């Protein structure tokens, strides 16, 4: 953190220093060059002036060809620091030169015309001056260097001053501000203090801005926190509802894959490892139908909630469980795409179902023999008749009345009578096969047989076998056994009657005829004149 | 009187054509072989550049100082310099070994006599002072 904090100051100082240095170097180079050029120009001017000073005398000397005078002039010129040597030359050729004049340095030589002393426009010769280049250069450099140094010093001073000012007025307050800023903790309401002397400038407004921001932030953090607490509470409640619910709840996706389940659901399924790759349908006995149903539910826009009772294959008990299921369509909006999910709620209704079945069983069956009671029997017979109508087949009704049953009851007691009735019922059940066996009254039984052949041969065989089986002795207590017989009256639908009443009447008549003629036999009903 | 004459000359020079009589003549000894000199040659001889005539014979210059106006006019016409300037010119060459200022002759009679005596002599005179013993080699345009 500390190097970072110093970074700005160092950066600014380096930038200013670098800029100043660069500017100074460039300026120094330029001024050095400029000063040198100026100095050289000035020297050239001076040389011109010097030449002008001696021009008149040189003119006279050249005119009268006075070597002494000429010598004096050039020697005099050489005394000057700026002049390395001088030469006076007439039009006819070199005339007089100073000792320092070297002709090899022709390029540097400055030439001045020497006019005729009396005739303007006429030129007598030239004065050639050889500048003292070394001296001039050193002087020029000296002057330029002095200027450059001054400039460099000035630049350095300015850079230093600017850095100090920047540090004092900008980076130092910023540094303090930064270090204070680091101490701000979200949630704390400790505003930064405005630095001294900066109340009116940008730093002051920055501090105020930060304070405002922090205050706003704190407010929204507080709001957010409250909201989150509320949400968490709500979520906990919802989760409680979901997790502790007695109903099994799950969500399935488009492939019928289980997305989420609650504990009750797992309990119902008998496993706690339901992965989301398994289809929900496979848990149910009605697998294929359920699959079709889901497709229909998704496709049908008017269908939103469906309730049904299904059989669940529980892993624990190997036994099917009856569950009441409520299927509801749920739209899950995730981002831009929405997915159609189905929510499933299941209640275990196994016990209730068994109870209901038991009640229904009890309502329809005779408690002693477990055969259908008369009421249920009538309904079943009517149903069988309807089916017979549809198939244009024949249906037989055998009314069986036990012979010699009353004596058994009277001699051995009701328990023996009950045992006989139970045994007979079992035997009838065995013989009847697909037929309906009904306990019609005290010792009266009725069997409904569908698909009877035209000659009633099978039915006859059945009746014969019935008589034999019923006549077999029945064990009562210990080695004690007794024997009963039966009189059977048979009616064929629709030959002996078009209604159940007519049919039963015909069978009843036939049975009584058997009774009258000595029991232990069977007889077919008469074709009623009305029916024919 | 002198002042009057100077003013008169000045007036004449300024306002009226100079009379032929007032013209200045550069003259040499009648025996001299030179017939004509150019203005340039006259200047070179009188101002010390040449110490010989164009034909190579030595020259002796006499500076006619008999009349200051004539002398002033002469140098004015010769090199367009005042007498002071001419003095200054010679002062520069004072220490020269090679050139010396022409000898000044104050008297017209002395000048004439010297000219007669000196075959290499040369001087300037006004038309009034012309003499058969003198040969005109240059005449200044009036």
């Amino acid at each position: 953190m500390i190097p970072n904090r110093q970074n700005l100051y160092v950066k600014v100082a380096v930038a200013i220093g670098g800029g100043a240095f660069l500017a100074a170097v460039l300026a120094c180079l330029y001024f050095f060059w400029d000063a040198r050029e100026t100095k050289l120009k000035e020297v050239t001017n001076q040389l011109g002036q010097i030449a002008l000073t001696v021009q008149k005398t040189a003119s006279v000397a050249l005119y009268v060809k006075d070597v002494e005078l000429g010598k004096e002039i050039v020697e005099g010129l050489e005394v000057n620091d700026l002049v390395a040597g001088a030469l006076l030359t007439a039009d006819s050729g070199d005339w007089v030169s100073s000792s320092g004049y070297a002709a090899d340095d022709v390029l540097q030589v400055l030439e001045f015309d020497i006019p005729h002393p009396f005739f303007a426009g006429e030129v007598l010769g030239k004065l050639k001056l050889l500048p003292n280049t070394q001296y001039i250069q050193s002087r020029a450099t000296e002057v330029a260097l002095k200027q450059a140094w001054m400039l460099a010093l000035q630049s350095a001073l300015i850079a230093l001053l600017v850095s100090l000012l920047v540090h004092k007025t900008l980076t130092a307050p910023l540094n303090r501000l930064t270090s204070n800023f680091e101490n701000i903790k979200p949630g704390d309401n400790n505003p930064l203090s405005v630095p001294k002397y900066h109340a009116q400038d940008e730093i002051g407004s920055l501090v105020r801005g930060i304070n405002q921001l922090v205050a706003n932030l704190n407010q929204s953090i507080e709001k957010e926190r409250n909201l989150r607490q509320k949400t968490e509470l709500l979520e906990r409640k919802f989760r409680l509802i979901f997790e502790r619910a007695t109903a099994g709840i799950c969500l399935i996706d488009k492939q019928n894959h289980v997305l989420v389940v609650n504990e009750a659901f797992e309990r119902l399924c008998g496993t706690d490892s339901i992965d989301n790759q398994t289809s929900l349908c496979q848990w149910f006995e009605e697998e294929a139908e359920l699959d079709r149903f889901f497709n229909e539910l998704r496709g049908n826009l008017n269908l939103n909630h469906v309730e049904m009772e299904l059989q669940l294959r529980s892993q624990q008990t190997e036994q099917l469980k009856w569950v009441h299921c409520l299927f509801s369509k749920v739209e899950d909006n995730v981002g831009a795409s929405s997915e159609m999910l189905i929510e499933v709620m299941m209640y275990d209704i196994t016990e209730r179902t068994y109870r209901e079945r038991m009640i229904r069983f009890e309502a329809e069956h005779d408690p002693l023999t477990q055969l259908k009671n008369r009421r249920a029997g009538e309904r079943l017979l009517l149903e069988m008749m309807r089916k017979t109508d549809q198939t244009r087949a024949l249906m037989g009704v055998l009314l069986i009345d036990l012979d010699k049953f009353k004596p058994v009851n009277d001699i051995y007691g009701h328990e023996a009578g009950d045992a006989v009735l139970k045994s007979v019922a079992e035997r009838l059940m065995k013989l009847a096969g697909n037929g309906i066996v009904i306990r019609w009254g005290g010792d009266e039984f009725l069997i409904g047989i569908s698909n009877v052949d035209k000659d009633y041969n099978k039915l006859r065989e059945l009746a014969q076998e019935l008589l034999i089986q019923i006549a077999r002795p029945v064990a009562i207590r210990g080695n004690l056994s007794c024997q009963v017989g039966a009189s059977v009256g048979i009616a064929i639908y629709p030959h002996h009657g078009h209604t159940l009443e007519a049919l039963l009447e015909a069978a009843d008549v036939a049975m009584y005829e058997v009774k009258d003629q000595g029991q232990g036999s069977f007889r077919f009903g008469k074709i009623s004149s009305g029916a024919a | 009187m002198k002042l009057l004459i100077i003013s008169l000359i000045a007036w004449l020079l300024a306002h009226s054509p100079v009379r032929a009589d007032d013209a200045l003549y550069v003259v040499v000894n009648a025996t001299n072989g030179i017939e004509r000199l150019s203005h340039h040659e006259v200047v070179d001889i009188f101002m010390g550049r040449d110490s010989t005539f164009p034909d190579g014979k030595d020259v002796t210059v006499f500076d006619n100082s008999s009349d200051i106006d004539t002398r002033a006019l002469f140098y004015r016409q010769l090199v367009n310099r005042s007498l002071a300037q001419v003095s200054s010119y010679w002062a520069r060459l004072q220490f020269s070994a090679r050139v010396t200022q022409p000898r000044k002759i104050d008297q017209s009679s002395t000048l004439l006599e010297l000219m007669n005596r000196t075959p290499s002599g040369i001087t300037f005179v006004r038309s009034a002072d012309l003499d058969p013993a003198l040969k005109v080699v240059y005449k200044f345009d009036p």
Side-chain angles (χ1 to χ4, degrees):
Chain A
M1 226 51 205
I2 285 163
N4 273 349
R5 196 181 302 163
Q6 288 182 341
N7 243 354
L8 186 62
Y9 175 50
V10 171
K11 263 188 218 162
V12 169
V14 164
I16 292 172
F21 177 74
L22 202 69
V25 164
L26 285 175
C28 284
L29 280 175
Y30 172 72
F31 278 109
F32 177 78
W33 175 79
D34 190 52
R36 232 171 138 259
E37 286 299 302
T38 310
K39 187 70 192 170
L40 287 177
K41 223 173 264 175
E42 192 188 310
V43 164
T44 311
N45 265 352
Q46 281 176 355
L47 284 171
Q49 283 166 3
I50 289 167
L52 209 63
T53 313
V54 300
Q55 192 190 45
K56 267 210 172 111
T57 317
S59 155
V60 171
L62 259 183
Y63 181 67
V64 297
K65 297 204 170 67
D66 190 330
V67 178
E68 286 306 312
L69 188 57
K71 200 85 179 164
E72 222 169 85
I73 290 166
V74 290
E75 295 291 347
L77 282 172
E78 205 183 292
V79 170
N80 200 306
D81 281 336
L82 301 175
V83 183
L87 171 82
L88 267 172
T89 171
D91 287 341
S92 46
D94 288 357
W95 181 56
V96 64
S97 71
S98 71
S99 55
Y101 187 87
D104 54 340
D105 209 351
V106 191
L107 282 175
Q108 302 262 342
V109 166
L110 297 168
E111 289 191 355
F112 302 95
D113 285 341
I114 301 298
H116 196 286
F118 305 116
F119 297 108
E122 264 184 57
V123 173
L124 280 181
K126 283 182 172 18
L127 169 65
K128 293 185 179 179
L129 286 181
L130 184 66
N132 190 348
T133 320
Q134 211 173 341
Y135 174 76
I136 290 166
Q137 296 270 17
S138 73
R139 277 304 306 275
T141 308
E142 200 179 310
V143 169
L145 266 179
K146 208 179 274 176
Q147 273 205 19
W149 274 119
M150 284 299 288
L151 203 68
L153 195 68
Q154 196 185 0
S155 301
L157 271 173
I158 287 171
L160 196 68
L161 202 66
V162 170
S163 308
L164 270 174
L165 272 173
V166 166
H167 176 64
K168 194 80 185 155
T169 60
L170 200 65
T171 46
L174 273 178
N175 274 349
R176 281 198 294 279
L177 193 61
T178 311
S179 61
N180 289 340
F181 187 65
E182 279 163 11
N183 294 332
I184 291 182
K185 288 189 186 72
D188 284 0
N189 234 342
N190 294 328
L192 296 174
S193 54
V194 178
K196 218 172 172 183
Y197 312 126
H198 288 290
Q200 299 302 322
D201 62 12
E202 289 88 339
I203 290 176
S205 14
L206 180 64
V207 170
R208 282 189 290 277
I210 288 172
N211 285 340
Q212 185 64 42
L213 185 70
V214 168
N216 288 347
L217 221 88
N218 286 346
Q219 260 180 4
S220 35
I221 285 173
E222 190 61 31
K223 267 187 206 163
E224 199 70 31
R225 192 183 287 156
N226 289 341
L227 211 64
R228 201 173 55 228
Q229 277 172 354
K230 275 183 196 167
T231 312
E232 274 172 8
L233 204 68
L234 211 62
E235 202 180 291
R236 207 156 48 231
K237 283 176 184 167
F238 279 136
R239 199 182 301 134
L240 211 65
I241 291 170
F242 180 70
E243 283 174 354
R244 300 280 175 243
T246 47
I249 303 170
C250 81
L251 271 178
I252 57 171
D253 63 8
K254 275 185 287 189
Q255 284 81 40
N256 299 338
H257 289 161
V258 178
L259 292 176
V260 62
V261 300
N262 69 347
E263 285 176 16
F265 189 90
E266 288 177 342
R267 239 185 348 263
L268 276 172
C269 292
T271 174
D272 56 357
S273 58
I274 296 175
D275 61 59
N276 53 12
Q277 289 307 310
T278 54
S279 168
L280 180 75
C281 301
Q282 75 184 50
W283 291 91
F284 291 93
E285 189 71 8
E286 300 86 349
E287 197 175 331
E289 294 93 321
L290 199 58
D291 201 50
R292 275 198 299 281
F293 160 71
F294 281 144
N295 287 336
E296 198 194 327
L297 182 64
R298 285 195 187 90
N300 193 339
L301 288 174
N302 298 322
L303 212 59
N304 282 321
H305 306 282
V306 176
E307 288 183 57
M308 58 175 73
E309 283 169 17
L310 297 168
Q311 294 179 83
L312 185 70
R313 293 169 178 151
S314 176
Q315 291 235 319
Q316 256 174 348
T317 56
E318 292 294 323
Q319 191 190 351
L320 292 176
K321 268 185 186 170
W322 279 98
V323 285
H324 181 85
C325 291
L326 176 65
F327 300 103
S328 309
K329 280 198 278 199
V330 182
E331 288 239 3
D332 185 19
N333 293 310
V334 184
S337 64
S338 70
E339 202 184 348
M340 175 72 73
L341 303 178
I342 294 176
E343 184 201 81
V344 184
M345 289 185 77
M346 301 195 306
Y347 300 95
D348 189 352
I349 52 162
T350 310
E351 272 183 45
R352 198 183 78 194
T353 309
Y354 279 124
R355 211 160 46 239
E356 279 172 4
R357 282 175 144 200
M358 196 58 76
I359 289 165
R360 201 181 303 145
F361 187 84
E362 282 169 3
E364 289 183 351
H365 292 81
D366 169 48
L368 179 67
T369 59
Q370 304 293 309
L371 295 178
K372 291 269 187 284
N373 59 23
R374 186 169 177 156
R375 188 159 45 84
E378 276 179 359
R379 186 168 53 79
L380 289 171
L381 285 173
L382 285 169
E383 208 169 293
M384 191 178 268
M385 281 164 72
R386 240 190 341 272
K387 273 184 191 164
T388 305
D389 282 343
Q390 282 164 9
T391 55
R392 297 177 178 281
L394 300 174
M395 168 186 156
V397 175
L398 290 79
L399 183 63
I400 302 153
D401 191 81
L402 295 186
D403 299 333
K404 294 173 282 186
F405 178 70
K406 204 168 178 313
V408 174
N409 236 0
D410 292 345
I411 298 162
Y412 302 109
H414 285 292
E415 280 179 21
D418 286 354
V420 169
L421 287 175
K422 270 189 192 173
S423 289
V424 170
E426 275 168 24
R427 288 170 194 174
L428 291 182
M429 283 291 278
K430 269 182 194 163
L431 287 170
N434 288 329
I436 307 160
V437 185
I438 307 158
R439 188 177 176 200
W440 199 246
D443 58 346
E444 259 184 344
F445 297 91
L446 197 111
I447 296 178
I449 298 291
S450 57
N451 295 324
V452 172
D453 58 316
K454 271 182 185 163
D455 305 328
Y456 318 152
N457 284 336
K458 290 258 172 69
L459 207 58
R460 259 187 212 99
E461 279 171 28
L462 177 66
Q464 200 61 54
E465 187 62 25
L466 265 174
L467 294 172
I468 294 165
Q469 288 298 327
I470 291 171
R472 275 172 53 217
V474 177
I476 307 166
R477 291 188 291 270
N479 294 327
L480 191 65
S481 67
C482 66
Q483 203 172 1
V484 290
S487 303
V488 178
I490 304 172
I492 302 298
Y493 174 81
H495 294 170
H496 302 130
H498 289 281
T499 62
L500 186 58
E501 287 79 23
L503 208 58
L504 290 174
E505 177 64 28
D508 200 47
V509 169
M511 190 269 284
Y512 273 105
E513 282 177 6
V514 175
K515 283 255 187 221
D516 288 343
Q517 289 177 7
Q519 302 178 331
S521 179
F522 68 87
R523 193 183 186 98
F524 281 88
K526 289 194 181 76
I527 294 171
S528 62
S529 54
Chain B
M1 183 67 192
K2 206 186 250 179
L3 191 72
L4 190 72
I5 290 166
I6 293 168
S7 0
L8 184 68
I9 289 167
W11 185 85
L12 282 172
L13 282 169
H15 294 284
S16 65
V18 176
R19 285 175 300 152
D21 290 352
D22 287 337
L24 278 170
Y25 299 89
V26 177
V27 293
V28 296
N29 191 291
T31 59
N32 200 313
I34 299 295
E35 295 299 326
R36 298 285 312 163
L37 287 174
S38 68
H39 183 220
H40 234 100
E41 286 165 340
V42 174
V43 170
D44 286 349
I45 289 166
F46 273 87
M47 298 313 284
R49 182 175 167 91
D50 289 344
S51 55
T52 60
F53 283 108
D55 59 4
K57 286 180 179 154
D58 280 347
V59 67
T60 309
V61 182
F62 298 112
D63 192 354
N64 184 357
S65 309
S66 59
D67 176 35
I68 190 159
D69 298 327
T70 304
R71 191 164 176 254
L73 185 62
F74 172 72
Y75 282 109
R76 178 59 67 189
Q77 286 190 329
L78 186 71
V79 291
N80 194 25
R81 296 282 195 283
S82 68
L83 288 178
Q85 284 174 322
V86 173
S87 296
S88 158
Y89 170 78
W90 286 114
R92 280 181 211 265
L93 296 166
Q94 200 174 350
F95 304 105
S96 171
R98 190 178 166 274
V99 198
T100 48
Q101 190 174 3
R103 197 174 142 199
K104 284 184 185 170
I105 308 300
D106 294 339
Q107 295 291 318
S108 292
S109 53
T110 314
L111 179 68
L112 197 64
E113 196 229 310
L114 277 170
M115 283 301 292
N116 276 329
R117 248 195 312 134
T118 318
S120 61
I122 185 166
T123 189
F124 56 92
V125 291
R126 285 191 176 267
S127 54
D129 292 330
L130 285 176
D131 190 275
L134 303 175
K135 186 202 280 183
V136 174
V137 289
Y138 185 79
K139 183 195 176 193
F140 288 101
D141 293 328

